[in-house]
Amino acid sequence: MQEVNLPIPFGWFPVAYSKELEVGDVKPISLFDDHQVLFRTESGEAKFLEAFCPHLGAHLGHGGEVVGEHIACPFHAWQLDGEGVVKDIPYAKAIPPKARGRACLHSYPVQERNQMIFAWYHPRRIAPTFDLEDIPEFSDPDWSELETYEWEVNSPIQEMGENAVDIAHFVYVHSAKHMPNAKIELAGQKRITEMVTKMTKIDDQGNIDMEKTEESHMISCNWGPGVSSQVFDRAFKTVLMGTMAPITASRMKLRFAFTKPRDLKPPFDVLTNALITEIVRQVGHDMVIWENKTYRDTPILCDGDGPIAKYRRWFSQFYDDGQDTVPLRLAS
């Protein structure tokens, strides 16, 4: 892919699934073209800090240990809390004045919902300007454990997200038999796509009638650039959470998490599993495009392309223009 001059957008981005971080766990993370440490305190809170100790620069994620509500550096055991404040130096009589009572490392705001840990990123460290929403099925005991997949993709997030409004590509990349009928709403930090596609008919017993078609409904939502949901509603229902995290401006981690009703009849369980398999397979089709294309800042669009230009204007709100409120500041 040719070099794309798109910055890292700001917003809520996934760091890890909640089940991947037990109490006392410490993990090195690399997002936003930087290094971080993720840890869970003894009270169960997930914390996400800049990685390098303010003392002599050791990476807290490689050998650091949770001590109560703090993380201890593996080099000299300096302890910092989840806000990046030095709380204890075991071999010192006093904390240096430069560090006393002040954040020495940036602490990323964290939300834990939908079975995932999300961190807020802004290049000037401005506090969150919008919130995430809950996906009801992800906390419903009548829905299954998550079935998860992940990829690393050489693509900016904006390019991948554009798929949700590029209706024509479903025919020419994913071999849909009919052009889907789509209604797309872009409002505030939210994007909603309602798409109806003609599919082979399935009756109430799960039998497939190759001679007939029926409507398949899909509702897809974005909350900012990093989190989306897709609800597939047909004779059976499946819910997908898609999350995107920028490793750098031009490389990202894509995660899919699926859930389905626990009480599915066997024929519909087979069909649901087939749908999930097909969705995952189709990511491979997209990756060939994403990793080998360039970004056209002023593309030539036709009347069948859908609201791609409108989507790009909507997405541009997540690029920092330097005009927002005063950024959060660390100790100097």
Side-chain angles (χ1 to χ4, degrees), residues 82-106:
E83 305 307 311
V85 178
V86 177
K87 304 300 287 188
D88 183 66
I89 303 172
Y91 58 90
K93 295 180 180 179
I95 293 173
K98 188 176 181 180
R100 196 176 301 151
R102 306 177 67 184
C104 297
L105 296 180
H106 176 54

mmCIF file with all atom_site columns, all heavy atoms in Angstrom, residues 82-106:
data_model
loop_
_atom_site.group_PDB
_atom_site.id
_atom_site.type_symbol
_atom_site.label_atom_id
_atom_site.label_alt_id
_atom_site.label_comp_id
_atom_site.label_asym_id
_atom_site.label_entity_id
_atom_site.label_seq_id
_atom_site.pdbx_PDB_ins_code
_atom_site.Cartn_x
_atom_site.Cartn_y
_atom_site.Cartn_z
_atom_site.occupancy
_atom_site.B_iso_or_equiv
_atom_site.pdbx_formal_charge
_atom_site.auth_seq_id
_atom_site.auth_comp_id
_atom_site.auth_asym_id
_atom_site.auth_atom_id
_atom_site.pdbx_PDB_model_num
ATOM 1   N N   . GLY A 1 82  ? -2.985 4.185  39.508 1.00 0.00 ? 82  GLY A N   1
ATOM 2   C CA  . GLY A 1 82  ? -3.601 4.149  38.183 1.00 0.00 ? 82  GLY A CA  1
ATOM 3   C C   . GLY A 1 82  ? -3.714 5.483  37.507 1.00 0.00 ? 82  GLY A C   1
ATOM 4   O O   . GLY A 1 82  ? -4.059 5.557  36.318 1.00 0.00 ? 82  GLY A O   1
ATOM 5   N N   . GLU A 1 83  ? -3.428 6.571  38.242 1.00 0.00 ? 83  GLU A N   1
ATOM 6   C CA  . GLU A 1 83  ? -3.429 7.907  37.657 1.00 0.00 ? 83  GLU A CA  1
ATOM 7   C C   . GLU A 1 83  ? -2.033 8.359  37.246 1.00 0.00 ? 83  GLU A C   1
ATOM 8   O O   . GLU A 1 83  ? -1.847 9.495  36.807 1.00 0.00 ? 83  GLU A O   1
ATOM 9   C CB  . GLU A 1 83  ? -4.031 8.915  38.648 1.00 0.00 ? 83  GLU A CB  1
ATOM 10  C CG  . GLU A 1 83  ? -5.422 8.549  39.147 1.00 0.00 ? 83  GLU A CG  1
ATOM 11  C CD  . GLU A 1 83  ? -6.390 8.273  38.012 1.00 0.00 ? 83  GLU A CD  1
ATOM 12  O OE1 . GLU A 1 83  ? -6.450 9.110  37.089 1.00 0.00 ? 83  GLU A OE1 1
ATOM 13  O OE2 . GLU A 1 83  ? -7.083 7.244  38.043 1.00 0.00 ? 83  GLU A OE2 1
ATOM 14  N N   . GLY A 1 84  ? -1.046 7.494  37.424 1.00 0.00 ? 84  GLY A N   1
ATOM 15  C CA  . GLY A 1 84  ? 0.321  7.835  37.043 1.00 0.00 ? 84  GLY A CA  1
ATOM 16  C C   . GLY A 1 84  ? 1.080  8.616  38.099 1.00 0.00 ? 84  GLY A C   1
ATOM 17  O O   . GLY A 1 84  ? 2.121  9.213  37.813 1.00 0.00 ? 84  GLY A O   1
ATOM 18  N N   . VAL A 1 85  ? 0.599  8.599  39.346 1.00 0.00 ? 85  VAL A N   1
ATOM 19  C CA  . VAL A 1 85  ? 1.240  9.336  40.446 1.00 0.00 ? 85  VAL A CA  1
ATOM 20  C C   . VAL A 1 85  ? 2.160  8.389  41.215 1.00 0.00 ? 85  VAL A C   1
ATOM 21  O O   . VAL A 1 85  ? 1.763  7.271  41.570 1.00 0.00 ? 85  VAL A O   1
ATOM 22  C CB  . VAL A 1 85  ? 0.187  9.920  41.411 1.00 0.00 ? 85  VAL A CB  1
ATOM 23  C CG1 . VAL A 1 85  ? 0.863  10.639 42.578 1.00 0.00 ? 85  VAL A CG1 1
ATOM 24  C CG2 . VAL A 1 85  ? -0.744 10.875 40.666 1.00 0.00 ? 85  VAL A CG2 1
ATOM 25  N N   . VAL A 1 86  ? 3.390  8.826  41.481 1.00 0.00 ? 86  VAL A N   1
ATOM 26  C CA  . VAL A 1 86  ? 4.323  8.032  42.287 1.00 0.00 ? 86  VAL A CA  1
ATOM 27  C C   . VAL A 1 86  ? 3.834  8.028  43.729 1.00 0.00 ? 86  VAL A C   1
ATOM 28  O O   . VAL A 1 86  ? 3.682  9.076  44.363 1.00 0.00 ? 86  VAL A O   1
ATOM 29  C CB  . VAL A 1 86  ? 5.748  8.606  42.209 1.00 0.00 ? 86  VAL A CB  1
ATOM 30  C CG1 . VAL A 1 86  ? 6.690  7.803  43.118 1.00 0.00 ? 86  VAL A CG1 1
ATOM 31  C CG2 . VAL A 1 86  ? 6.269  8.583  40.777 1.00 0.00 ? 86  VAL A CG2 1
ATOM 32  N N   . LYS A 1 87  ? 3.586  6.816  44.252 1.00 0.00 ? 87  LYS A N   1
ATOM 33  C CA  . LYS A 1 87  ? 3.040  6.706  45.608 1.00 0.00 ? 87  LYS A CA  1
ATOM 34  C C   . LYS A 1 87  ? 4.038  6.173  46.630 1.00 0.00 ? 87  LYS A C   1
ATOM 35  O O   . LYS A 1 87  ? 3.875  6.396  47.830 1.00 0.00 ? 87  LYS A O   1
ATOM 36  C CB  . LYS A 1 87  ? 1.814  5.782  45.587 1.00 0.00 ? 87  LYS A CB  1
ATOM 37  C CG  . LYS A 1 87  ? 0.729  6.205  44.615 1.00 0.00 ? 87  LYS A CG  1
ATOM 38  C CD  . LYS A 1 87  ? 0.167  7.580  44.914 1.00 0.00 ? 87  LYS A CD  1
ATOM 39  C CE  . LYS A 1 87  ? -0.718 7.578  46.133 1.00 0.00 ? 87  LYS A CE  1
ATOM 40  N NZ  . LYS A 1 87  ? -1.416 8.876  46.319 1.00 0.00 ? 87  LYS A NZ  1
ATOM 41  N N   . ASP A 1 88  ? 5.066  5.458  46.159 1.00 0.00 ? 88  ASP A N   1
ATOM 42  C CA  . ASP A 1 88  ? 6.024  4.896  47.116 1.00 0.00 ? 88  ASP A CA  1
ATOM 43  C C   . ASP A 1 88  ? 7.339  4.582  46.414 1.00 0.00 ? 88  ASP A C   1
ATOM 44  O O   . ASP A 1 88  ? 7.344  4.109  45.267 1.00 0.00 ? 88  ASP A O   1
ATOM 45  C CB  . ASP A 1 88  ? 5.469  3.620  47.753 1.00 0.00 ? 88  ASP A CB  1
ATOM 46  C CG  . ASP A 1 88  ? 6.408  3.048  48.798 1.00 0.00 ? 88  ASP A CG  1
ATOM 47  O OD1 . ASP A 1 88  ? 6.611  3.712  49.830 1.00 0.00 ? 88  ASP A OD1 1
ATOM 48  O OD2 . ASP A 1 88  ? 6.956  1.951  48.563 1.00 0.00 ? 88  ASP A OD2 1
ATOM 49  N N   . ILE A 1 89  ? 8.451  4.882  47.099 1.00 0.00 ? 89  ILE A N   1
ATOM 50  C CA  . ILE A 1 89  ? 9.796  4.488  46.661 1.00 0.00 ? 89  ILE A CA  1
ATOM 51  C C   . ILE A 1 89  ? 10.406 3.757  47.845 1.00 0.00 ? 89  ILE A C   1
ATOM 52  O O   . ILE A 1 89  ? 10.752 4.378  48.855 1.00 0.00 ? 89  ILE A O   1
ATOM 53  C CB  . ILE A 1 89  ? 10.654 5.701  46.258 1.00 0.00 ? 89  ILE A CB  1
ATOM 54  C CG1 . ILE A 1 89  ? 9.958  6.513  45.153 1.00 0.00 ? 89  ILE A CG1 1
ATOM 55  C CG2 . ILE A 1 89  ? 12.040 5.246  45.799 1.00 0.00 ? 89  ILE A CG2 1
ATOM 56  C CD1 . ILE A 1 89  ? 10.647 7.824  44.837 1.00 0.00 ? 89  ILE A CD1 1
ATOM 57  N N   . PRO A 1 90  ? 10.533 2.431  47.790 1.00 0.00 ? 90  PRO A N   1
ATOM 58  C CA  . PRO A 1 90  ? 10.867 1.654  48.988 1.00 0.00 ? 90  PRO A CA  1
ATOM 59  C C   . PRO A 1 90  ? 12.208 1.981  49.613 1.00 0.00 ? 90  PRO A C   1
ATOM 60  O O   . PRO A 1 90  ? 12.387 1.780  50.821 1.00 0.00 ? 90  PRO A O   1
ATOM 61  C CB  . PRO A 1 90  ? 10.822 0.207  48.485 1.00 0.00 ? 90  PRO A CB  1
ATOM 62  C CG  . PRO A 1 90  ? 10.984 0.286  47.013 1.00 0.00 ? 90  PRO A CG  1
ATOM 63  C CD  . PRO A 1 90  ? 10.340 1.575  46.608 1.00 0.00 ? 90  PRO A CD  1
ATOM 64  N N   . TYR A 1 91  ? 13.149 2.501  48.861 1.00 0.00 ? 91  TYR A N   1
ATOM 65  C CA  . TYR A 1 91  ? 14.474 2.758  49.416 1.00 0.00 ? 91  TYR A CA  1
ATOM 66  C C   . TYR A 1 91  ? 14.737 4.249  49.618 1.00 0.00 ? 91  TYR A C   1
ATOM 67  O O   . TYR A 1 91  ? 15.851 4.653  49.940 1.00 0.00 ? 91  TYR A O   1
ATOM 68  C CB  . TYR A 1 91  ? 15.561 2.172  48.495 1.00 0.00 ? 91  TYR A CB  1
ATOM 69  C CG  . TYR A 1 91  ? 15.532 2.703  47.081 1.00 0.00 ? 91  TYR A CG  1
ATOM 70  C CD1 . TYR A 1 91  ? 16.263 3.834  46.722 1.00 0.00 ? 91  TYR A CD1 1
ATOM 71  C CD2 . TYR A 1 91  ? 14.759 2.086  46.109 1.00 0.00 ? 91  TYR A CD2 1
ATOM 72  C CE1 . TYR A 1 91  ? 16.232 4.327  45.423 1.00 0.00 ? 91  TYR A CE1 1
ATOM 73  C CE2 . TYR A 1 91  ? 14.728 2.560  44.815 1.00 0.00 ? 91  TYR A CE2 1
ATOM 74  C CZ  . TYR A 1 91  ? 15.460 3.683  44.467 1.00 0.00 ? 91  TYR A CZ  1
ATOM 75  O OH  . TYR A 1 91  ? 15.427 4.176  43.183 1.00 0.00 ? 91  TYR A OH  1
ATOM 76  N N   . ALA A 1 92  ? 13.699 5.095  49.447 1.00 0.00 ? 92  ALA A N   1
ATOM 77  C CA  . ALA A 1 92  ? 13.880 6.542  49.599 1.00 0.00 ? 92  ALA A CA  1
ATOM 78  C C   . ALA A 1 92  ? 13.161 7.042  50.849 1.00 0.00 ? 92  ALA A C   1
ATOM 79  O O   . ALA A 1 92  ? 12.140 6.485  51.273 1.00 0.00 ? 92  ALA A O   1
ATOM 80  C CB  . ALA A 1 92  ? 13.343 7.269  48.377 1.00 0.00 ? 92  ALA A CB  1
ATOM 81  N N   . LYS A 1 93  ? 13.691 8.098  51.439 1.00 0.00 ? 93  LYS A N   1
ATOM 82  C CA  . LYS A 1 93  ? 13.054 8.709  52.600 1.00 0.00 ? 93  LYS A CA  1
ATOM 83  C C   . LYS A 1 93  ? 11.855 9.561  52.203 1.00 0.00 ? 93  LYS A C   1
ATOM 84  O O   . LYS A 1 93  ? 10.931 9.747  53.000 1.00 0.00 ? 93  LYS A O   1
ATOM 85  C CB  . LYS A 1 93  ? 14.080 9.566  53.362 1.00 0.00 ? 93  LYS A CB  1
ATOM 86  C CG  . LYS A 1 93  ? 15.218 8.756  53.973 1.00 0.00 ? 93  LYS A CG  1
ATOM 87  C CD  . LYS A 1 93  ? 16.194 9.665  54.707 1.00 0.00 ? 93  LYS A CD  1
ATOM 88  C CE  . LYS A 1 93  ? 17.339 8.857  55.314 1.00 0.00 ? 93  LYS A CE  1
ATOM 89  N NZ  . LYS A 1 93  ? 18.311 9.742  56.009 1.00 0.00 ? 93  LYS A NZ  1
ATOM 90  N N   . ALA A 1 94  ? 11.885 10.080 50.973 1.00 0.00 ? 94  ALA A N   1
ATOM 91  C CA  . ALA A 1 94  ? 10.791 10.950 50.534 1.00 0.00 ? 94  ALA A CA  1
ATOM 92  C C   . ALA A 1 94  ? 10.677 10.879 49.019 1.00 0.00 ? 94  ALA A C   1
ATOM 93  O O   . ALA A 1 94  ? 11.665 10.630 48.318 1.00 0.00 ? 94  ALA A O   1
ATOM 94  C CB  . ALA A 1 94  ? 11.041 12.393 50.979 1.00 0.00 ? 94  ALA A CB  1
ATOM 95  N N   . ILE A 1 95  ? 9.474  11.113 48.529 1.00 0.00 ? 95  ILE A N   1
ATOM 96  C CA  . ILE A 1 95  ? 9.261  11.196 47.079 1.00 0.00 ? 95  ILE A CA  1
ATOM 97  C C   . ILE A 1 95  ? 9.797  12.540 46.605 1.00 0.00 ? 95  ILE A C   1
ATOM 98  O O   . ILE A 1 95  ? 9.539  13.577 47.231 1.00 0.00 ? 95  ILE A O   1
ATOM 99  C CB  . ILE A 1 95  ? 7.762  11.054 46.760 1.00 0.00 ? 95  ILE A CB  1
ATOM 100 C CG1 . ILE A 1 95  ? 7.296  9.633  47.119 1.00 0.00 ? 95  ILE A CG1 1
ATOM 101 C CG2 . ILE A 1 95  ? 7.483  11.345 45.284 1.00 0.00 ? 95  ILE A CG2 1
ATOM 102 C CD1 . ILE A 1 95  ? 5.808  9.430  47.013 1.00 0.00 ? 95  ILE A CD1 1
ATOM 103 N N   . PRO A 1 96  ? 10.577 12.573 45.519 1.00 0.00 ? 96  PRO A N   1
ATOM 104 C CA  . PRO A 1 96  ? 11.141 13.845 45.035 1.00 0.00 ? 96  PRO A CA  1
ATOM 105 C C   . PRO A 1 96  ? 10.049 14.892 44.803 1.00 0.00 ? 96  PRO A C   1
ATOM 106 O O   . PRO A 1 96  ? 8.942  14.563 44.347 1.00 0.00 ? 96  PRO A O   1
ATOM 107 C CB  . PRO A 1 96  ? 11.821 13.452 43.722 1.00 0.00 ? 96  PRO A CB  1
ATOM 108 C CG  . PRO A 1 96  ? 12.096 11.992 43.861 1.00 0.00 ? 96  PRO A CG  1
ATOM 109 C CD  . PRO A 1 96  ? 10.983 11.438 44.676 1.00 0.00 ? 96  PRO A CD  1
ATOM 110 N N   . PRO A 1 97  ? 10.316 16.144 45.096 1.00 0.00 ? 97  PRO A N   1
ATOM 111 C CA  . PRO A 1 97  ? 9.324  17.205 44.921 1.00 0.00 ? 97  PRO A CA  1
ATOM 112 C C   . PRO A 1 97  ? 8.735  17.254 43.508 1.00 0.00 ? 97  PRO A C   1
ATOM 113 O O   . PRO A 1 97  ? 7.548  17.545 43.341 1.00 0.00 ? 97  PRO A O   1
ATOM 114 C CB  . PRO A 1 97  ? 10.112 18.482 45.242 1.00 0.00 ? 97  PRO A CB  1
ATOM 115 C CG  . PRO A 1 97  ? 11.200 18.026 46.157 1.00 0.00 ? 97  PRO A CG  1
ATOM 116 C CD  . PRO A 1 97  ? 11.571 16.654 45.688 1.00 0.00 ? 97  PRO A CD  1
ATOM 117 N N   . LYS A 1 98  ? 9.546  16.962 42.517 1.00 0.00 ? 98  LYS A N   1
ATOM 118 C CA  . LYS A 1 98  ? 9.074  17.008 41.136 1.00 0.00 ? 98  LYS A CA  1
ATOM 119 C C   . LYS A 1 98  ? 7.961  16.007 40.877 1.00 0.00 ? 98  LYS A C   1
ATOM 120 O O   . LYS A 1 98  ? 7.131  16.203 39.979 1.00 0.00 ? 98  LYS A O   1
ATOM 121 C CB  . LYS A 1 98  ? 10.248 16.743 40.189 1.00 0.00 ? 98  LYS A CB  1
ATOM 122 C CG  . LYS A 1 98  ? 9.940  16.953 38.718 1.00 0.00 ? 98  LYS A CG  1
ATOM 123 C CD  . LYS A 1 98  ? 11.191 16.762 37.881 1.00 0.00 ? 98  LYS A CD  1
ATOM 124 C CE  . LYS A 1 98  ? 10.895 17.000 36.406 1.00 0.00 ? 98  LYS A CE  1
ATOM 125 N NZ  . LYS A 1 98  ? 12.115 16.827 35.569 1.00 0.00 ? 98  LYS A NZ  1
ATOM 126 N N   . ALA A 1 99  ? 7.925  14.927 41.649 1.00 0.00 ? 99  ALA A N   1
ATOM 127 C CA  . ALA A 1 99  ? 6.939  13.870 41.431 1.00 0.00 ? 99  ALA A CA  1
ATOM 128 C C   . ALA A 1 99  ? 5.838  13.868 42.483 1.00 0.00 ? 99  ALA A C   1
ATOM 129 O O   . ALA A 1 99  ? 4.827  13.194 42.310 1.00 0.00 ? 99  ALA A O   1
ATOM 130 C CB  . ALA A 1 99  ? 7.630  12.514 41.428 1.00 0.00 ? 99  ALA A CB  1
ATOM 131 N N   . ARG A 1 100 ? 6.012  14.616 43.551 1.00 0.00 ? 100 ARG A N   1
ATOM 132 C CA  . ARG A 1 100 ? 5.125  14.513 44.696 1.00 0.00 ? 100 ARG A CA  1
ATOM 133 C C   . ARG A 1 100 ? 3.701  14.975 44.363 1.00 0.00 ? 100 ARG A C   1
ATOM 134 O O   . ARG A 1 100 ? 3.471  16.123 43.982 1.00 0.00 ? 100 ARG A O   1
ATOM 135 C CB  . ARG A 1 100 ? 5.692  15.325 45.853 1.00 0.00 ? 100 ARG A CB  1
ATOM 136 C CG  . ARG A 1 100 ? 5.101  15.015 47.217 1.00 0.00 ? 100 ARG A CG  1
ATOM 137 C CD  . ARG A 1 100 ? 5.815  15.803 48.294 1.00 0.00 ? 100 ARG A CD  1
ATOM 138 N NE  . ARG A 1 100 ? 7.255  15.494 48.317 1.00 0.00 ? 100 ARG A NE  1
ATOM 139 C CZ  . ARG A 1 100 ? 8.188  16.359 48.705 1.00 0.00 ? 100 ARG A CZ  1
ATOM 140 N NH1 . ARG A 1 100 ? 7.849  17.588 49.051 1.00 0.00 ? 100 ARG A NH1 1
ATOM 141 N NH2 . ARG A 1 100 ? 9.452  15.988 48.707 1.00 0.00 ? 100 ARG A NH2 1
ATOM 142 N N   . GLY A 1 101 ? 2.754  14.044 44.472 1.00 0.00 ? 101 GLY A N   1
ATOM 143 C CA  . GLY A 1 101 ? 1.343  14.399 44.327 1.00 0.00 ? 101 GLY A CA  1
ATOM 144 C C   . GLY A 1 101 ? 0.907  14.776 42.926 1.00 0.00 ? 101 GLY A C   1
ATOM 145 O O   . GLY A 1 101 ? -0.178 15.326 42.740 1.00 0.00 ? 101 GLY A O   1
ATOM 146 N N   . ARG A 1 102 ? 1.741  14.453 41.935 1.00 0.00 ? 102 ARG A N   1
ATOM 147 C CA  . ARG A 1 102 ? 1.417  14.857 40.565 1.00 0.00 ? 102 ARG A CA  1
ATOM 148 C C   . ARG A 1 102 ? 1.539  13.647 39.629 1.00 0.00 ? 102 ARG A C   1
ATOM 149 O O   . ARG A 1 102 ? 2.340  12.752 39.868 1.00 0.00 ? 102 ARG A O   1
ATOM 150 C CB  . ARG A 1 102 ? 2.357  15.973 40.091 1.00 0.00 ? 102 ARG A CB  1
ATOM 151 C CG  . ARG A 1 102 ? 2.400  17.171 41.002 1.00 0.00 ? 102 ARG A CG  1
ATOM 152 C CD  . ARG A 1 102 ? 3.407  18.190 40.511 1.00 0.00 ? 102 ARG A CD  1
ATOM 153 N NE  . ARG A 1 102 ? 2.995  18.781 39.259 1.00 0.00 ? 102 ARG A NE  1
ATOM 154 C CZ  . ARG A 1 102 ? 3.733  19.650 38.551 1.00 0.00 ? 102 ARG A CZ  1
ATOM 155 N NH1 . ARG A 1 102 ? 4.946  19.981 38.979 1.00 0.00 ? 102 ARG A NH1 1
ATOM 156 N NH2 . ARG A 1 102 ? 3.280  20.166 37.430 1.00 0.00 ? 102 ARG A NH2 1
ATOM 157 N N   . ALA A 1 103 ? 0.752  13.671 38.554 1.00 0.00 ? 103 ALA A N   1
ATOM 158 C CA  . ALA A 1 103 ? 0.843  12.604 37.562 1.00 0.00 ? 103 ALA A CA  1
ATOM 159 C C   . ALA A 1 103 ? 2.145  12.734 36.785 1.00 0.00 ? 103 ALA A C   1
ATOM 160 O O   . ALA A 1 103 ? 2.416  13.767 36.174 1.00 0.00 ? 103 ALA A O   1
ATOM 161 C CB  . ALA A 1 103 ? -0.343 12.666 36.610 1.00 0.00 ? 103 ALA A CB  1
ATOM 162 N N   . CYS A 1 104 ? 2.948  11.684 36.832 1.00 0.00 ? 104 CYS A N   1
ATOM 163 C CA  . CYS A 1 104 ? 4.209  11.652 36.090 1.00 0.00 ? 104 CYS A CA  1
ATOM 164 C C   . CYS A 1 104 ? 4.082  10.847 34.804 1.00 0.00 ? 104 CYS A C   1
ATOM 165 O O   . CYS A 1 104 ? 4.959  10.911 33.946 1.00 0.00 ? 104 CYS A O   1
ATOM 166 C CB  . CYS A 1 104 ? 5.315  11.053 36.953 1.00 0.00 ? 104 CYS A CB  1
ATOM 167 S SG  . CYS A 1 104 ? 5.673  12.020 38.428 1.00 0.00 ? 104 CYS A SG  1
ATOM 168 N N   . LEU A 1 105 ? 3.032  10.058 34.700 1.00 0.00 ? 105 LEU A N   1
ATOM 169 C CA  . LEU A 1 105 ? 2.723  9.315  33.486 1.00 0.00 ? 105 LEU A CA  1
ATOM 170 C C   . LEU A 1 105 ? 1.284  9.614  33.089 1.00 0.00 ? 105 LEU A C   1
ATOM 171 O O   . LEU A 1 105 ? 0.428  9.814  33.957 1.00 0.00 ? 105 LEU A O   1
ATOM 172 C CB  . LEU A 1 105 ? 2.884  7.801  33.691 1.00 0.00 ? 105 LEU A CB  1
ATOM 173 C CG  . LEU A 1 105 ? 4.284  7.274  34.001 1.00 0.00 ? 105 LEU A CG  1
ATOM 174 C CD1 . LEU A 1 105 ? 4.220  5.756  34.173 1.00 0.00 ? 105 LEU A CD1 1
ATOM 175 C CD2 . LEU A 1 105 ? 5.258  7.647  32.898 1.00 0.00 ? 105 LEU A CD2 1
ATOM 176 N N   . HIS A 1 106 ? 1.019  9.603  31.793 1.00 0.00 ? 106 HIS A N   1
ATOM 177 C CA  . HIS A 1 106 ? -0.356 9.813  31.330 1.00 0.00 ? 106 HIS A CA  1
ATOM 178 C C   . HIS A 1 106 ? -1.196 8.582  31.647 1.00 0.00 ? 106 HIS A C   1
ATOM 179 O O   . HIS A 1 106 ? -0.817 7.444  31.343 1.00 0.00 ? 106 HIS A O   1
ATOM 180 C CB  . HIS A 1 106 ? -0.377 10.079 29.827 1.00 0.00 ? 106 HIS A CB  1
ATOM 181 C CG  . HIS A 1 106 ? -1.766 10.200 29.264 1.00 0.00 ? 106 HIS A CG  1
ATOM 182 N ND1 . HIS A 1 106 ? -2.690 11.079 29.773 1.00 0.00 ? 106 HIS A ND1 1
ATOM 183 C CD2 . HIS A 1 106 ? -2.392 9.538  28.258 1.00 0.00 ? 106 HIS A CD2 1
ATOM 184 C CE1 . HIS A 1 106 ? -3.818 10.975 29.093 1.00 0.00 ? 106 HIS A CE1 1
ATOM 185 N NE2 . HIS A 1 106 ? -3.665 10.036 28.171 1.00 0.00 ? 106 HIS A NE2 1
#
